[in-house]
Every structure is written in structure tokens, then in C-alpha cells.
Amino acid sequence: MFREILEGIVERVGGGIGAVLMGYDGIAIDHFFKPCEEIDLQLAAVEYANVLKDIRNIVEILNTGEMEEVSIRTGRYFVIIRAVTAEYFVALTLEQNGNFGKGRYLLQREAQSLREGLL
Amino acid sequence: MFREILEGIVERVGGGIGAVLMGYDGIAIDHFFKPCEEIDLQLAAVEYANVLKDIRNIVEILNTGEMEEVSIRTGRYFVIIRAVTAEYFVALTLEQNGNFGKGRYLLQREAQSLREGLL
């Protein structure tokens, strides 16, 4: 069920490469990656999980409300990360020319379905 | 000169709260904050500088091109951070209903002027 949601996001977003539903402990629940990509998205998600934990702590210290979304643009990719529950997040990787706005929208919309599946 | 650029971004973006030009060492070169805000933007920028360093290292390890932009959405604010040089970045804080797209655009455009001022 999670895989279908992740695949739907990657296929519909435009320029989608992969998506993963993962815990802040770096352990993935499920993922969908398009074949033959150069970067190790699983490894990337684990690394970003550590950074997310730091950001979440900072957000708590600063008392600026809960962390909802983090996006990272590098020379080659966009990564959009959205909190699903207190323990889990979903990360979507796009090509640089991918549809960033649609990615944010789809993650926001599907976070609810993912959340329901986790409960 | 930096302050005028930062003020211009905050005033034009729509929902802007403050902007800071800062080194990855957490030391600010200049800033412009609207008066009477509840959060300590200077402290926030220092905290985010540490996270940015981590993200930059990850991006290097994963070989996904240089880090260009990071944005963080919390329950109350948007923070958009853009790399200016290898040592400095600019961070813009917006209200939740601020114009995120325009913020990204203005930071991208003004990063060039900031870069020229730093050289």
C-alpha cells in the first residue's frame, strides 16, 4: 500500500526519480525508485534522516512550531522531505528540472494517506 | 550595502520577517530584521548554519552537485537559505502565509549581488 502511494507520487510529479517512507532512525518502511539511477537514494535518505533530526531539534528549541517540510536543492537534484508522523517522514527526489511545486503539493496531499496507513 | 540588499528582499517578498548574510561558522556579516518579532532570528541562523554544514557534507559525499538552496517550513515560519559562496549563505525568514516562490526568486537573483560584494 505504501509502495503504491510512493510510486504514484514519483510517476505523477514530473521529473521524479524516487520516493522513500522512512523513520528518523534511518530505517525505510518502503520505497519506489526508478531503475538505473546514479545516486544511492537509500543512502541519501539515511544521511538526510540525521540532518532532519537536527533540524527538528532546532525547531523545538526555537519554539517556531513543528517541522513540516524541508527541501534541498543541489547542482543536480531536488529533495523534498515532509514529516508524516513524529517518527516517520517521506522524501521525494526530483531531477533539477522536475516540478518542485507539484512535488510539494503531492507530498502534502499524500502525507495524510501515509499517516493513516501508519496508524 | 549588504543591509540594503537584505532589506530590499524582506520588504519586497510579501510576509518577510528578516534576512541575514552569514558564514558557515555562524558569524553574521549583516542582517535586516523587522522590529518586534517573537523569535530570535540571529540565534536561528546560527543553529541553521550548523545544519547547513552537515547538509553540505552529505551533498559532497553523495556527489549530487553543490548545495544551492535549503528551505524549511515549520508550523509558524518558512526559512529559505541560499548558498552565496563556499563560506557564506543568506537566510530569509517568512511568515507561514508569506510568498515562498517570490522568496526563492529574490534570493536567487540577489545572491549574485551579495557574491560580488563579498569578493
Side-chain angles (χ1 to χ4, degrees):
Chain A
M1 174 214 156
F2 292 130
R3 197 183 169 85
E4 281 69 38
I5 295 173
L6 298 173
E7 181 172 354
I9 295 170
V10 173
E11 295 295 355
R12 272 177 296 163
V13 66
I17 294 173
V20 58
L21 177 64
M22 181 173 264
Y24 285 99
D25 55 7
I27 298 173
I29 296 183
D30 215 338
H31 65 267
F32 173 79
F33 298 148
K34 285 196 181 171
C36 303
E37 292 302 332
E38 281 173 33
I39 58 166
D40 185 339
L41 292 177
Q42 196 92 32
L43 174 65
V46 174
E47 297 281 3
Y48 286 128
N50 286 322
V51 172
L52 278 187
K53 271 193 288 192
D54 290 344
I55 294 177
R56 200 167 57 163
N57 289 341
I58 291 170
V59 167
E60 268 174 32
I61 292 166
L62 297 172
N63 192 26
T64 56
E66 287 198 6
M67 187 185 73
E68 294 180 357
E69 187 191 282
V70 174
S71 59
I72 299 164
R73 184 191 170 106
T74 73
R76 289 166 63 196
Y77 301 102
F78 261 127
V79 183
I80 311 171
I81 299 158
R82 190 166 184 95
V84 175
T85 68
E87 286 86 33
Y88 297 99
F89 65 89
V90 55
L92 171 66
T93 302
L94 305 178
E95 293 169 15
Q96 258 270 16
N97 58 359
N99 193 332
F100 177 62
K102 193 168 178 189
R104 292 182 61 218
Y105 164 73
L106 288 173
L107 283 191
Q108 182 178 2
R109 205 184 62 177
E110 298 301 335
Q112 183 61 29
S113 313
L114 294 169
R115 198 175 297 122
E116 285 164 9
L118 287 165
L119 294 178
Chain B
M1 175 215 156
F2 293 129
R3 196 182 169 85
E4 281 70 37
I5 296 173
L6 297 173
E7 181 171 354
I9 295 169
V10 173
E11 295 294 356
R12 272 178 296 163
V13 68
I17 294 173
V20 57
L21 177 63
M22 182 173 263
Y24 285 98
D25 55 6
I27 298 173
I29 296 182
D30 215 338
H31 65 266
F32 173 79
F33 299 148
K34 285 195 180 172
C36 302
E37 292 302 333
E38 281 172 33
I39 58 166
D40 186 338
L41 292 177
Q42 195 92 33
L43 174 65
V46 174
E47 296 281 2
Y48 285 127
N50 286 322
V51 173
L52 278 187
K53 270 192 289 191
D54 291 343
I55 294 177
R56 201 167 58 162
N57 289 341
I58 291 171
V59 167
E60 267 173 33
I61 291 166
L62 297 172
N63 191 26
T64 56
E66 286 197 9
M67 186 185 74
E68 293 180 357
E69 186 190 281
V70 174
S71 59
I72 299 164
R73 184 190 171 106
T74 73
R76 289 166 63 196
Y77 301 102
F78 261 127
V79 183
I80 311 170
I81 299 158
R82 190 165 184 96
V84 175
T85 68
E87 285 87 34
Y88 297 98
F89 65 90
V90 55
L92 171 65
T93 302
L94 305 178
E95 293 170 15
Q96 259 268 16
N97 58 359
N99 194 331
F100 178 61
K102 193 169 179 188
R104 291 183 61 218
Y105 164 73
L106 287 173
L107 283 191
Q108 183 178 0
R109 204 184 63 178
E110 298 301 335
Q112 183 60 30
S113 313
L114 293 169
R115 199 174 296 124
E116 284 163 10
L118 286 167
L119 295 178

